[in-house]
């Protein structure tokens, strides 16, 4: 499975890697048990510091998305079909959702538009695709 | 035989000049003269101007080299080495000088300001490129055969024995017979064999890439191309090892069986010809394994999905790259000119890759910023020096 990063973006690279893995899990391209390349391998391919990749993997680990063991390396720990068991997750995610929705509303998007965008993206996760093209309203 | 040596000198000059001139101009449109330019700038006037300046300078250097070949025709060794040296240094200097024009224009025009820069990697294991031991097994067998034949022939060899032959096939240098003198070619072949095998074995361990891995229909990178390049490189190294071993062992065996024979010239020429064929096929295979970027976005769905920066996480909300929404065009690679010193050698401490694929031409360049790099270079030098001097200790 292939991911890409934007090295000159204002978003930190470890964040981009994290987001890519999350999105891959959400769209079903990564399933429970799928192995991930070592931090070193990813760093060599990207040509970036190993510590950057480690940071992304650490965050994925602490969020329960991957686990690492000595024998098989880093492996995906859950996918979108795994039952939601972590109540702490809602506690950290809901405030972020609120912030996003508030921002959209403040910038003039109405509920219908927000629902349309959300629905489209959720559909894309379901169909296993994610599209980089953004519709301009 | 000065016309023959002049011809060979001209061939050697051409052998150096052709790749030195053609590769910076042709190998990758997005890296003209070894300078990274973003998509769409490949035909910018500054780029085209620099390329034509380079071509003109290279032509002048080539002309001077050819004149030198004929001017120095009376001195065969100097007549070959001096023009080659002038050609090499001259064209390299022209390259270093001409590319500055592109670098200046790039900086002044801030070409990368609007570029959509991406670099990709495979997240899930794609398998390790396989080492092809067959080539090396065959080479070891050849060297062993060489040792056996040499051992059998040893008693019958003349003392002093010929150790160098002129272009006419007649021996022109003699040396006292000894194990070192007789088996030197075998030791050299063995040393080469080990060095090339090690190189092929170690290459995948540290191979990163500073180039695109192929672009899918949507103009975004596709996976696995570096794997293919590595696979081809390993194959090329194996084939070169085998052919070189054939050449060295073949010539040595011919000198032992019949030192005055014209067969040796034939074997040498055949061996070099075979090597040239291997190099040509290898270059073609490597270029085929190297992707060419597609500039337009096609209408079909991308074959591999590429998640970009997502805005799901509020940690990155509001930090989307400003140009992503509007720019559905071609992808550029990161501008890593600062790591390519004079456009020739790569040095980047932060890059954990030991080898990076070359921007100009084919193959891999060692990353001098990697702690192991200098050890490897030292190791190569020591090994080659040792494999040349150790046999001399026998004599």
């Amino acid at each position: 499975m292939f991911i890409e990063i934007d090295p000159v973006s204002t978003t930190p690279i470890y964040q981009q890697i994290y987001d890519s893995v999350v999105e891959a899990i959400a769209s079903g391209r990564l399933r429970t048990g799928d192995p991930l390349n070592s931090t070193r391998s990813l760093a060599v391919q990207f040509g970036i510091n190993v510590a950057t990749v480690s940071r992304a993997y650490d965050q994925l680990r602490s969020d329960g998305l991957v686990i690492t063991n000595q024998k098989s390396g880093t492996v995906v720990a859950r996918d979108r079909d795994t039952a939601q068991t972590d109540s702490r997750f809602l506690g950290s995610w809901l405030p972020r959702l609120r912030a996003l929705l508030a921002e959209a509303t403040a910038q003039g998007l109405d509920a219908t538009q927000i629902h349309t965008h959300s629905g489209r993206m959720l559909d894309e996760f379901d169909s296993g695709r994610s599209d980089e093209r953004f519709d301009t309203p | 035989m000065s016309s023959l040596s002049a011809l060979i000198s001209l061939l050697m000059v051409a052998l150096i000049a052709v790749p030195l001139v053609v590769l910076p101009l042709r190998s990758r449109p997005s890296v003209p003269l070894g300078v990274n330019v973003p998509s769409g700038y490949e035909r910018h006037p500054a780029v085209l101007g620099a390329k034509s300046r380079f071509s003109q300078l290279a032509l002048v250097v080539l002309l001077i080299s050819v004149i030198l070949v004929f001017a120095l025709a009376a001195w065969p060794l100097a007549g070959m080495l001096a023009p080659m040296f002038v050609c090499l240094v001259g064209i390299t200097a022209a390259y270093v000088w001409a590319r500055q024009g592109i670098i200046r224009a790039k900086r002044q025009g801030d070409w990368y300001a609007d570029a959509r820069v991406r670099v990709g990697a495979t997240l899930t294991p794609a398998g390790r490129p396989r080492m092809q031991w067959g080539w090396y097994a065959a080479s070891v067998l050849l060297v062993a055969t060489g040792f056996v034949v040499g051992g059998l022939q040893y008693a019958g060899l003349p003392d002093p024995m010929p150790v160098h032959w002129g272009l006419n096939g007649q021996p022109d240098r003699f040396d006292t017979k000894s194990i070192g003198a007789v088996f030197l070619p075998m030791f050299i072949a063995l040393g080469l064999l080990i060095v090339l095998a090690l190189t092929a074995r170690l290459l995948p361990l540290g191979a990163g890439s500073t180039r695109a891995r192929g672009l899918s229909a949507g103009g975004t990178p596709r996976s696995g191309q570096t794997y293919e390049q590595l696979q081809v490189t390993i194959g090329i190294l194996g084939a070169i090892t085998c052919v070189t071993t054939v050449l060295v062992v073949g010539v040595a065996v011919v000198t032992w069986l019949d030192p005055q024979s014209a067969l040796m010239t034939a074997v040498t020429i055949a061996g070099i010809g075979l090597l040239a064929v291997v190099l040509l096929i290898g270059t073609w295979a490597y270029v085929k394994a190297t992707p060419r970027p597609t500039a337009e976005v096609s209408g079909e769905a991308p074959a591999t999905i590429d998640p970009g920066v997502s805005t799901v996480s509020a940690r990155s909300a509001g930090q989307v790259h400003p140009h992503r929404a509007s720019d559905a065009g071609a992808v550029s690679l990161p501008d890593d000119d600062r790591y390519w010193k004079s456009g020739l050698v790569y040095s980047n401490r932060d890059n954990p890759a030991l080898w990076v694929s070359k921007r100009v031409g084919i193959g891999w360049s060692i990353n001098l910023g990697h702690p192991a790099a200098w050890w490897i270079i030292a190791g190569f030098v020591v090994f080659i020096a040792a494999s040349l001097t150790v046999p001399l200790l026998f004599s």
Side-chain angles (χ1 to χ4, degrees):
Chain A
M1 206 214 88
F2 187 78
I3 63 171
E4 62 170 5
I5 60 170
D6 180 349
V8 297
S9 164
T10 45
T11 314
I13 292 179
Y14 74 87
Q15 187 64 55
Q16 296 182 45
I17 298 175
Y18 176 91
D19 291 343
S20 297
V21 175
V22 166
E23 193 151 336
I25 294 176
S27 52
R29 277 170 289 131
L30 281 178
R31 312 224 59 108
T32 311
D34 285 350
L36 298 183
N37 273 329
S38 66
T39 50
R40 195 171 187 285
S41 163
L42 219 59
V44 164
Q45 289 184 73
F46 280 135
I48 60 178
N49 207 308
V50 180
T52 310
V53 182
S54 288
R55 194 166 166 189
Y57 275 38
D58 287 342
Q59 203 166 310
L60 287 166
R61 251 192 301 274
S62 71
D63 287 350
L65 293 168
V66 306
I67 53 175
T68 306
N69 55 44
Q70 286 289 60
K71 200 165 48 105
S72 41
T74 308
V75 153
V76 176
R78 57 167 297 118
D79 51 45
R80 61 181 176 185
D81 298 323
T82 313
Q84 212 261 335
T85 50
D86 190 355
S87 57
R88 289 178 310 145
F89 171 72
L90 273 179
S92 82
W93 180 70
L94 283 173
R96 292 188 273 137
L97 178 63
R98 193 184 179 85
L100 274 175
L101 291 173
E103 189 182 359
T105 311
Q107 292 285 355
L109 265 67
D110 63 27
T112 317
Q113 286 170 307
I114 295 176
H115 280 300
T116 308
H117 284 299
S118 312
R120 179 175 53 84
M121 291 179 183
L122 288 169
D123 284 341
E124 281 172 9
F125 293 152
D126 267 340
S127 66
R129 278 186 30 159
S130 75
D131 207 331
E132 249 196 316
R133 292 190 295 273
F134 286 76
D135 302 306
T136 41
Chain B
M1 278 271 112
S2 69
S3 57
L4 181 62
S5 62
L7 183 66
I8 292 185
S9 302
L10 284 175
L11 274 174
M12 297 301 269
V13 166
L15 203 68
I16 289 187
V18 166
L20 274 185
V21 170
V22 168
L23 290 176
L25 292 175
R26 286 260 172 271
S27 60
R28 282 175 65 209
S30 65
V31 191
L33 297 184
V35 181
N36 272 312
V37 299
S39 277
Y41 281 87
E42 294 89 348
R43 304 201 65 78
H44 190 277
V47 170
L48 296 178
K51 279 181 161 182
S52 80
R53 272 195 296 278
F54 171 71
S55 311
Q56 287 160 11
L57 273 173
L59 205 60
V60 168
V61 169
L62 194 59
L63 234 55
I64 294 176
S65 305
V66 169
I67 292 174
L68 265 181
V69 168
F70 291 109
L72 296 177
W75 300 274
L77 195 63
M80 192 183 316
L81 291 180
M84 281 167 65
F85 182 77
V86 164
C87 193
L88 181 67
V89 170
I91 295 182
T92 306
Y95 167 86
V96 171
W97 180 80
R99 64 192 296 271
Q100 297 302 320
I102 306 179
I103 294 176
R104 254 195 311 270
K106 182 169 73 167
R107 204 179 310 142
Q108 280 166 4
D110 202 6
W111 290 357
Y112 271 92
D114 282 343
R116 186 167 160 244
V117 176
R118 297 286 183 276
V119 63
T122 41
L123 185 60
T124 45
R128 164 148 296 169
R130 298 217 169 290
M131 180 64 173
Q132 297 171 7
W133 292 109
W135 297 110
Y136 304 95
S139 304
V140 166
L141 216 60
L142 278 168
V143 173
T145 311
F147 273 113
V148 165
V149 171
L152 292 173
Q153 291 291 313
Y154 190 81
L157 289 173
D159 188 359
M161 50 171 275
V163 291
H164 190 270
W165 284 256
L167 289 162
N168 56 3
Q170 294 305 310
D172 56 13
R173 263 214 318 264
F174 292 81
D175 197 7
T176 41
K177 182 166 105 175
S178 65
I179 292 185
V182 170
F183 287 106
L184 181 64
M186 295 299 106
F187 287 121
I188 291 178
L190 200 60
L192 256 175
L193 171 59
I194 294 177
V195 161
L196 285 172
L198 269 176
T199 308
R201 181 64 191 89
L202 295 178
L203 185 65
L205 289 184
S209 180
T210 56
R211 54 208 287 183
R213 280 164 188 77
L215 300 176
S216 68
T220 47
R222 201 162 14 99
S223 68
Q225 295 290 338
T226 304
Y227 176 88
E228 287 168 24
Q229 283 178 330
L230 274 175
Q231 198 61 65
V232 169
T233 309
I234 290 175
I236 294 175
L237 282 172
I240 289 178
T241 308
C242 199
V243 169
T244 314
T245 310
V246 165
L247 180 60
V248 172
V249 170
V251 169
V253 165
V254 166
T255 65
W256 295 333
L257 294 180
D258 188 355
Q260 315 274 33
S261 159
L263 192 60
M264 190 168 45
T265 317
V267 170
T268 310
I269 292 179
I272 293 179
L274 203 58
L275 198 62
V277 165
V278 164
L279 286 174
L280 277 171
I281 295 179
T283 309
W284 171 82
Y286 188 92
V287 167
K288 230 173 79 100
T290 302
R292 291 268 170 267
T294 50
E296 285 98 24
V297 178
S298 80
E300 57 185 79
T304 49
I305 305 118
D306 58 299
V309 177
S310 83
T311 51
V312 169
S313 160
R315 284 183 276 250
S316 59
Q319 289 177 322
V320 181
H321 193 284
H323 296 285
R324 281 190 63 244
S326 54
D327 182 2
V331 151
S332 303
L333 285 171
D335 183 6
D336 60 355
D337 279 350
R338 60 190 175 282
Y339 299 123
W340 288 92
K341 314 301 177 192
S342 300
L344 297 171
V345 290
Y346 184 88
S347 176
N348 178 5
R349 285 184 192 284
D350 281 333
N351 188 346
L354 181 55
W355 308 94
V356 293
S357 54
K358 282 190 180 174
R359 300 190 311 173
V360 169
I362 69 170
W364 307 83
S365 211
I366 199 167
N367 177 7
L368 295 176
H370 193 287
W374 293 102
W375 290 106
I376 289 186
I377 292 174
F380 267 85
V381 169
V382 163
F383 198 91
I384 291 177
S387 48
L388 287 177
T389 55
V390 161
L392 293 177
L393 293 177
F394 276 97
S395 45

